[in-house]
Amino acid sequence: MTTTDTTTTHATSNAVTAAGPAPADGRDFRRTAGRFPTGVTVVTTVGADGRPHGTTVNSFTTVSMDPFMVLVSLARGSRLHDQALDAWSFAVTVLAEEQQADALWFADRSRPTGDAAFTGRAHRPAPHSGAPLLLGGVAWFDCAVAEAHPAGDHTLLLGRVHSFGVLSDRPALTFADSRFTPSGALS
């Protein structure tokens, strides 16, 4: 058993060594991480100012079935970051394949803030947080922040899910290699 553990560690060590030093600017890291396909979501909250806020997030995952929990990772510089921490709640809409325009809109830092950011997009307030849910999506989760953890240039928000639902049976929007990809066609 010890020999197997040593061999595995040695093989892993060689793979890391063969890869060379970590890039200083992160471009190679982003390119490498981008090979992992993700879903695309819009995370929203209602800020202390009473206005809705949202941003596109692809770092979303379910965490626990008992209790129901999800995790999102928010960049510290994003518009939503401080608003979600102040509200201590958020909602997640999993986008449908045809919602590329919504994903790009909520990723655009030059878009308007507050209600104007949601103009022309069908939405309703989530039952617990009151944060906007985009009705064109495929699923939604309404959460209270259970924990917030600093992680480099991001904050991990662990959300306890108060309510959730399916919006449609359409395919979800996916993202890999810095582009949107059709569901089922990831390579």
Side-chain angles (χ1 to χ4, degrees):
M1 189 86 152
T2 304
T3 305
T4 304
D5 291 341
T6 303
T7 303
T8 302
T9 303
H10 180 68
T12 302
S13 176
N14 284 343
V16 171
T17 302
D25 64 11
R27 286 178 289 185
D28 287 338
F29 180 80
R30 180 182 291 267
R31 193 177 116 258
T32 301
R35 297 292 298 153
F36 180 70
T38 66
V40 183
T41 68
V42 170
V43 177
T44 58
T45 194
V46 175
D49 58 3
R51 296 171 32 176
H53 301 273
T55 195
T56 301
V57 172
N58 70 339
S59 52
F60 162 80
T61 189
T62 57
V63 175
S64 171
M65 294 290 292
D66 185 18
F68 296 140
M69 298 186 99
V70 299
L71 180 135
V72 298
S73 177
L74 297 178
R76 289 199 187 159
S78 77
R79 291 184 187 178
L80 188 71
H81 182 272
D82 293 345
Q83 300 291 339
L85 287 174
D86 288 345
W88 212 242
S89 64
F90 63 91
V92 178
T93 302
V94 179
L95 298 184
E97 191 172 62
E98 62 274 6
Q99 286 184 288
Q100 292 181 19
D102 287 331
L104 292 170
W105 174 255
F106 285 100
D108 184 353
R109 292 177 80 56
S110 67
R111 75 183 178 287
T113 59
D115 291 322
F118 295 88
T119 300
R121 287 166 172 78
H123 64 282
R124 69 172 171 83
H128 171 74
S129 66
L133 299 170
L134 300 178
L135 300 180
V138 298
W140 60 273
F141 301 86
D142 188 18
C143 307
V145 174
E147 298 176 33
H149 299 280
D153 58 359
H154 281 61
T155 298
L156 304 178
L157 296 183
L158 187 60
R160 184 168 183 139
V161 178
H162 282 266
S163 54
F164 58 92
V166 172
L167 294 167
S168 82
D169 291 330
R170 294 184 320 270
L173 181 60
T174 56
F175 191 78
D177 287 333
S178 299
R179 67 182 189 279
F180 297 111
T181 56
S183 293
L186 299 175
S187 57

